[in-house]
Structures are given as C-alpha cells and as structure tokens.
C-alpha cells in the first residue's frame, strides 16, 4: 500500500508535487498569481511549514487552495483527502503522474524540485514608477520637539538609533511635475523617518500628515534593522511612533507602511525563529480593530495573535503611544501582556493550577515510595543533566541545588559541594515532577525548605505534580507555564524536570527524543535560564543509554552521574560531560546521610589517586572499543574518534592521547610510526572493571 511518507520523501517534502501541478515560474515564499483560476491579485504562496516539516500552499484570495500537496491534488481531481478511499486514490494519482514507481515496487529517483527561492539579491524585473525628485534639509531637534517626543518616553538617543530627524524644509514634485515646498514651524513641526533610498515625512499637526520621498520598495518595514537576533516578544504596531514608544519602554516592535497593508508571510515566518511571540498591537479605532482581526486570520499559521489596548479608540486615545503618554508604565503594559497570556493559556493554566502543591491544604498521608530526584545546575541558556540509578541520593542532591536558589540572602547552607549563585531578584524557580505522588513531593519540598532555612515556601518557588497528566500534556504544560512565570517574576532562575523520560512515549524513539530535547534547549535560550533534566538511566561508562540519553548528552552543557561509592553509606558525584575541559579531570564529590543533621551532607572530594584511577579505567575501555574494530589507527583518526565517542573538544582528545601513551594503553606501531596500536598495558588488571 502506498504511504504518504514515501511520497513526501521522494518529492522533497511535497515540493515536487506543487511544481508538477502548478505551472509557471513561481518562487518559494513569494506571492504569485494562482494559475488554477482567474486570479487578479498575487496572493498565492508556497512555503515550508516547519511544524509539519512539509511544503504547503496558502492562497489569501481563495482559501480553497490552501493546504498540503495532497489537499491540492484532491481539489484538482474532485477528491476529498479526509476520506480514506479518496486519499488512497490521491496517492495513486501522484505516484502515476510523477512516475515515482512506488505502486509497482520499483521506486524511481526524482531529482529535487528546481524552484527559485525568493532572494533579495535578484528582484523580479517589473516596471517601476518613476521616482519623483526630492530634497530635504535637516536641523537639530529644537527643545519643543524633544519635549513632544519625550511625552511618549522617546529620547534623543532613541531617535538617532532609529534614524529619525527633524526637518527644516522638504522639496519635491506633484504627480503633474509641479514643484512644491513644505517648511517646519513651531506650530507645524516636520520629522523624517530616513531609509537608504527613501524618507517618510511625519507632520503630526498638519494635513497631509504623511509624505513619501524616494523608492520604498515592496516591503517597507520600520524597526526591522534594530531588532535583536533573539527575543521573547515582537509587537507589530500601526505606526513608527508606536515602534519608538515601545522601544523606549524596553519592548521590540516593527511596523509596516499602514495597518491595512498585507503583512509579508515570509518575513513573519523568518521572525518566528527569532521570537517566542509575535503580537499585533494596532490602533483601537474602527480601522485598527478590523485590520488586526483580518491580519490575525491571515497569519494564523504562524501563531500570530492580537492584543487589544484598554483605550476608547478616539483620536487622542487609540494607540500604544497614547497609552504611555497617559502615564501608564512599562509594568502596566507588562501586566496587560500577562493577562493576555492568561487568556491565551487559560485551559492549560486552569489544569495546571490543580497540579500545584497547596501548602495550606497538604495531601493526606500515604505510603512512602522510593523516588529518584533530579539535580539541575549549569549556565544560563543551557541544559544541565543528572543521571543515576534508584537509591543513589539524586532526590536529595537536587533538593540541595533548589535550596541554594531560594535560601535567604547571606545564609550559609549545605549544597553538597555545589556553589550556587544567589537568586537576588527572586526570579521563578520551577520544579516539575512526573514520577512522585503529591504526598511524596510535598514531603520532599518541605525537607528542601528546611535545608534552605526557609520557614515558609517563597512565592517564587513553584512545585507541580504532573503524574495525573498525559505525556503530551506534560510538555505543553511546562512550555506554557514557563512563559507565564517568566513575565510574572521577571525571569526564571532555574527549571527542574524530574524526570524527562516521562515526556516521551519511549526513550528509545529517536524522533521523539530529539524533538523534546530541542524544545527544552530552545526554551533555555529564549528565557535565558538553566533547565535541569533528570534522567533515570544508569550510564554506561561516560555515555548515557537510549536515544533520549544520547540527545541530552549532546545538547547539555554538563552531565553529572550520581552513583553509590565503594563505601555503601556514601554517594559519589561524577562528571560525564563538561563543555569546557575534560570530565575525567573534574573532582569526584562525596555526600552521605548525617543522622545528627537530619539530612545529607557534603563529605569532600575523593583522593586524586581515585580520580586518576577512574580516568585510566575509562580510557582503557575506550581503547578496547576502538581497537576492537581495527588493529591500527592514525593520530588524526584517533583524535576524531575520541571526540565522537566521548563528546569532547579536540584539545581534550589530544590530552587523552598523551595520557594513554604515558600509561602504555596505546603505543606507536613499530612497522608504521604514523599509526598507533594497542599498548602493552596490563589490560587483565582492569578486566574486573566495568
């Protein structure tokens, strides 16, 4: 039976199908006239849907032609792709028309579809309207004009950054070629938004208010040049002054030439990679409301939403500039945005509220169970992994780290050998548990508070028991609640997910594992926080097991393993990975239960000899693995294999080669001095080593 996945694989994710059935020289991401009907306006677009991983078609003028390649063929052939029998026929039609050979069992290679992409360096040759000659004279901003901008919070530095100038005079021609001149005055000031080949005049108290000089091109976008590479939220406003006012209050914003223009989908698509939220913030008059509603529908596939301001929509009170002019602060607007998120995520947050631990109403006592905890720590914007078997003390180790994030300023608490930066701004500390019962989690958090010397739970600490949610709901709840708490508490200090294996159906599913780790890594970057992931796997040497473990080890900046020491009353913390340097050079830290203290306490580091012994043991195992596949290897190849196997940098791999040569784990080949062979090291001595 034909499968759509096979067709997508052999047609460049559906692109070749669109190329076959849509004639013409269209470009990916560029609007074109739909050849399938009498289209009068270029409003059809072929784009890559990053969510689904396939190419799709969007026709803003006729929604009947919006969908994937199977939907399009169904429309052309009078078939409904939602009906199983019709969908099978659609697959057969594509297989036959494109000569894929899948039905016959003799697949045919289809070369990648040759479709021109929309690139800025070679614009389409279209007749251009002649550009009217224009001249303008700038002047230093008079004090009265600076006062005008200041009422919106806009400073001289910001005006300079966005290339806004004060104009003394502007000269141009009418459509009939008749020259005209505008001059500024105290009563009628004149400003210019300067571009490379154009200027847009703004006359706030005059008619006309806006004039245009030069060549604006197709996609005028004010503020795009000033955007950061990454950000949390981007607002699309109705005008340049709104962009400036938002920037003055610490928000990112852009605008197009007016609220009624069609916002380019390709630009929005690119911006979705840079911002978590893209929000329409248009005027509150009739035109602004109608336009924002229309644009929200057109850009729905990119997750664009609209935010309505609490303004009446009059001439004096309609936009974000007027909002700030009226005395509202950044915090006031931020509260509006938090309310917007509350509404956006209402269903999830209501569900999540029932999962939050209520310290005023503790759950009923139940049988205690052994649970594995998580220990997250690292640098901002990165993942931190902790792994180990049951009963090794992971819960207590994690609790010590969380305690260090919420302890009172100046308090000296035992964090089991880890130094933790004080959370002086009281940013959110989020603990999501996917394995333990409410009762056990309540107990663990209560013990954590005692370690932190906190008589009551600080407001910034949020602990959630997610055992009652499905695996799909858990990740969604984490993503959306992080977003809300990030704005509510002015950032997130630390996120603990105990354990991440319960976010996927199977830890050995490569696609699922990659998707979850990628999403967590993305969130760590967006919110500039450290996400601690607890993985309940027993590691094999310096490697984690399963696809989920491998992907975590690849993306995380640090991986720690907690194991039982040779002394059974103690646990030892070992580094499996550190981004800078060698994990085998990291001290082996010990902690154990202290009856008198009523908690686990730090017991110091293992002797240097133990660390060297571990390093030797692990590298012997690696050498066995490498030379089990080949008898000799060059220095360069050995260095590359060490980097790949151990996930280390080149300089660390070279230091390992030196160490192995010193211990005679490897040696130069007598027959070929450019190669290494297994050394005369007494491997039997390590035969009992894991």
């Amino acid at each position: 039976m034909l499968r759509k996945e096979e067709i997508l694989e052999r047609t460049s994710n559906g692109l070749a199908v669109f190329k076959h059935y849509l004639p013409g020289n269209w470009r990916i991401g560029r609007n074109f006239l739909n050849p399938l009907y009498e289209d009068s306006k270029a409003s059809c677009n072929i784009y890559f849907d990053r969510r689904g991983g396939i190419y799709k078609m969007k026709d803003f003028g006729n929604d009947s032609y919006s969908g994937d390649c199977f939907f399009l063929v169904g429309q052309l052939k009078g078939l409904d792709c939602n009906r199983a029998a019709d969908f099978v026929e659609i697959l057969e039609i594509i297989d036959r028309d494109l000569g894929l050979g899948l039905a016959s069992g003799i697949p045919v290679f289809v070369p990648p579809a040759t479709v021109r992409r929309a690139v800025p360096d070679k614009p389409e040759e279209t007749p251009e309207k002649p550009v009217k000659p224009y001249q303008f004279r700038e002047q230093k901003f008079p004090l009265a004009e600076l006062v005008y901008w200041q009422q919106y919070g806009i400073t001289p530095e910001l005006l300079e950054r966005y290339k806004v100038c004060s104009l003394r005079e502007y000269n141009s021609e009418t459509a009939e070629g008749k020259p005209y001149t505008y001059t500024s005055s105290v009563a009628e000031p004149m400003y210019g938004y300067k571009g490379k080949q154009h200027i847009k005049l703004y006359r706030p108290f005059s008619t006309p208010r806006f004039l245009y000089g030069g060549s604006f091109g197709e996609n005028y976008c004010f503020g795009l040049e000033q955007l950061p590479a990454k950000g949390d939220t981007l607002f699309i406003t109705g005008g340049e002054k709104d962009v400036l006012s938002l920037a003055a209050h610490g928000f990112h914003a852009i605008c197009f030439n007016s609220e009624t223009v069609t916002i380019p989908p390709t630009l929005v698509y690119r911006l979705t990679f840079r911002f978590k939220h893209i929000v329409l913030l248009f005027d509150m008059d009739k035109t602004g409301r109608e336009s924002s509603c229309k644009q929200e529908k057109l850009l729905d596939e990119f997750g664009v939403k609209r935010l309505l301001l609490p303004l009446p929509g009059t001439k004096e009170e309609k936009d974000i500039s007027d909002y700030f002019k009226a005395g509202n602060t950044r915090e006031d607007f931020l509260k509006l945005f938090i309310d917007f998120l509350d509404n956006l995520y209402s269903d999830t947050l209501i569900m999540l509220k029932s999962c939050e631990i209520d310290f005023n109403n503790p759950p009923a006592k139940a049988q205690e169970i052994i649970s594995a905890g998580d220990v997250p720590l690292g640098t901002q914007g990165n993942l931190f992994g902790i792994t180990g078997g049951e009963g090794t003390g992971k819960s207590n180790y994690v609790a010590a780290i969380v305690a260090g994030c919420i302890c009172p300023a100046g308090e000296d608490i035992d964090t089991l050998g880890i130094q933790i930066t004080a959370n002086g701004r009281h940013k959110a500390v989020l603990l999501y548990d996917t394995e333990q019962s409410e009762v056990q989690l309540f107990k663990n958090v209560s013990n954590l508070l005692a370690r932190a010397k906190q008589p009551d739970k600080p407001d910034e600490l949020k602990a959630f028991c997610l055992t009652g949610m499905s695996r799909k709901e858990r990740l969604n709840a984490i993503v959306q609640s992080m977003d809300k708490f990030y704005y509510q508490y002015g950032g997130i200090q630390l996120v603990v997910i105990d354990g991440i294996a319960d976010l996927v159906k199977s830890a050995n599913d490569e696609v699922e594992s990659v998707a979850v780790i990628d999403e967590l890594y993305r969130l760590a970057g967006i919110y500039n926080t450290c996400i601690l992931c607890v993985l309940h796997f027993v590691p094999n040497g310096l490697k984690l097991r399963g696809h989920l473990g491998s992907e975590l080890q690849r993306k995380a900046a640090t991986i720690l393993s907690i194991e039982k020491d040779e002394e059974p009353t103690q646990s030892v913390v070992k580094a499996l990975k550190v981004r800078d340097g060698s994990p085998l050079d990291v001290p082996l830290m010990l902690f154990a239960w202290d009856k008198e203290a009523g908690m686990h306490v730090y017991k110091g580091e293992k002797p240097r000899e133990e660390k060297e012994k571990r390093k030797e043991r692990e590298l012997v195992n690696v050498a066995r693995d490498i030379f089990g596949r080949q008898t000799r290897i060059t220095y360069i190849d050995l260095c590359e294999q060490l980097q790949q196997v151990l996930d280390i940098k080149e300089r660390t791999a070279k230091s390992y080669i030196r160490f192995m040569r010193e211990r005679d784990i490897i040696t130069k080949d007598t027959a070929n001095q450019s190669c290494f062979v297994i050394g005369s090291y007494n491997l039997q001595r390590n035969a009992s080593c894991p």
Side-chain angles (χ1 to χ4, degrees), residues 209-349:
R209 279 201 305 154
F210 296 103
L211 291 131
Y212 304 89
S215 176
F216 277 74
E218 293 182 1
N219 298 321
Y220 170 79
C221 184
F222 182 79
L224 186 63
E225 182 183 335
Q226 289 77 18
L227 293 181
K230 293 277 186 183
D232 45 56
T233 305
L234 173 67
F235 294 100
I236 300 178
T237 73
E240 291 82 0
K241 188 173 65 177
D242 296 335
V243 172
L244 294 167
S245 188
L246 281 165
H249 291 83
F251 301 99
H252 310 302
I254 58 173
C255 76
F256 299 92
N257 200 27
S258 75
E259 294 176 330
T260 57
V261 302
T262 301
I263 297 175
T266 50
L267 176 60
V268 176
Y269 171 68
R270 292 168 187 155
L271 290 171
T272 59
F273 291 92
R274 298 167 58 182
F275 295 90
K276 168 66 177 175
H277 300 287
I278 299 179
V279 182
L280 299 167
L281 191 66
F282 284 9
D283 293 359
M284 292 304 294
D285 56 11
K286 185 174 182 290
T287 302
R289 285 174 174 270
E290 291 177 352
S291 295
S292 65
C293 185
K294 179 184 176 182
Q295 300 285 9
E296 184 182 31
K297 291 177 180 177
L298 292 176
L299 301 172
D300 177 65
E301 63 193 279
F302 306 112
V304 175
K305 303 296 182 184
R306 66 171 182 155
L307 174 61
L308 300 178
L309 292 168
L311 298 175
T314 61
K315 187 177 180 180
E316 293 76 23
E317 295 180 282
K318 65 176 182 176
D319 56 32
I320 188 66
S321 303
D322 298 330
Y323 177 83
F324 288 125
K325 181 183 177 181
N328 292 293
T329 64
R330 167 184 167 85
E331 287 68 33
D332 294 326
F333 182 64
L334 198 56
K335 187 177 184 302
L336 281 181
F337 188 71
I338 294 172
D339 292 340
F340 161 79
L341 293 179
D342 271 332
N343 184 59
L344 185 63
Y345 303 143
S346 58
D347 293 344
T348 297
L349 291 171

Side-chain angles (χ1 to χ4, degrees), residues 3 13 74 102 141 199 201 272 288 291 302 312 325 332 390 415 424 435 461 489 512 517 542 585 613:
R3 294 169 53 247
N13 297 316
L102 294 172
F141 277 94
I199 187 169
L201 269 68
T272 59
S291 295
F302 306 112
K325 181 183 177 181
D332 294 326
E390 291 187 355
T415 54
E435 290 200 344
L461 175 63
Y489 291 92
E512 246 196 331
I517 298 299
L542 290 172
D585 293 330
K613 192 183 296 181

Side-chain angles (χ1 to χ4, degrees), residues 630-688:
Q630 58 201 103
T631 57
R632 61 178 56 84
I633 188 173
T634 65
Y635 180 88
I636 294 174
D637 288 343
L638 178 60
C639 191
E640 288 179 353
Q641 287 208 31
L642 287 173
Q643 291 178 70
Q644 185 177 354
V645 172
L646 300 177
D647 193 18
I648 55 178
K649 294 183 178 179
E650 183 180 358
R651 66 175 182 269
T652 305
K654 290 179 178 178
S655 73
Y656 283 1
I657 294 175
R658 275 195 311 272
F659 183 89
M660 288 192 289
R661 290 189 66 184
E662 291 168 0
R663 302 301 170 97
D664 210 20
I665 298 171
I666 60 173
T667 187
K668 285 283 187 75
D669 185 4
T670 54
N672 185 352
Q673 288 290 303
S674 63
C675 292
F676 289 100
V677 296
I678 200 74
S680 58
Y681 179 90
N682 186 7
L683 297 179
Q684 287 75 24
R685 189 175 70 183
N686 293 276
S688 61

Side-chain angles (χ1 to χ4, degrees), residues 343-501:
N343 184 59
L344 185 63
Y345 303 143
S346 58
D347 293 344
T348 297
L349 291 171
I350 290 171
M351 186 190 308
L352 193 62
K353 186 65 181 177
S354 65
C355 303
E356 185 175 1
I357 300 299
D358 187 354
F359 282 80
N360 296 318
N361 300 288
K365 289 274 185 184
Q367 182 182 357
E368 291 187 12
I369 60 172
I370 297 174
S371 60
D374 91 34
V375 182
L377 192 67
T379 56
Q380 290 180 330
N382 280 306
L383 302 183
F384 191 108
I386 290 182
T387 186
E390 291 187 355
T392 56
K394 291 194 304 297
S395 296
N396 293 282
Y397 200 75
V398 170
I401 293 175
V402 176
C405 293
I406 63 168
C407 67
E411 285 285 358
D412 185 20
I413 68 169
D414 187 352
T415 54
L416 303 184
I418 297 291
Q419 301 297 316
I420 301 170
T421 303
N423 184 15
R425 293 172 52 195
H426 299 285
K427 294 190 290 186
V429 179
L430 310 178
L431 171 59
Y432 303 96
D433 197 295
T434 66
E435 290 200 344
Q436 302 181 100
S437 68
E438 273 189 277
V439 173
Q440 187 63 42
L441 181 58
F442 180 84
K443 179 182 177 183
N444 290 351
V445 176
S446 299
N447 293 337
L448 179 160
L449 294 175
R451 179 184 288 274
K453 299 181 181 179
Q454 287 280 17
D456 301 302
K457 183 186 79 70
D459 185 57
E460 66 265 22
L461 175 63
K462 305 290 182 182
F464 302 98
C465 175
L466 306 187
T467 54
M469 289 184 172
S470 69
R471 293 174 185 259
K472 185 178 181 180
E473 287 175 324
R474 288 167 186 166
L475 182 58
N476 193 48
I478 291 170
V479 171
Q480 295 188 5
S481 60
M482 279 182 62
D483 197 40
K484 191 293 178 85
F485 293 131
Y486 169 79
Y487 289 99
Q488 184 174 346
Y489 291 92
I492 303 174
Q493 182 79 354
L494 180 70
V495 178
V496 177
I497 305 175
D498 184 13
I500 62 168

Side-chain angles (χ1 to χ4, degrees), residues 564-567 570-574 586-591 602-614 617:
K564 279 293 183 184
D565 191 37
E566 290 89 349
E567 169 57 51
Q570 297 186 142
S571 294
V572 58
V573 182
K574 300 178 179 179
V586 175
L588 301 175
M589 296 171 285
L590 298 168
F591 66 93
Y602 182 53
K603 292 293 186 180
E605 300 176 4
K606 297 198 77 168
R608 181 177 176 83
E609 304 81 62
E610 288 288 336
K611 185 176 73 173
E612 290 294 306
K613 192 183 296 181
R614 180 204 179 203
R617 189 164 56 239

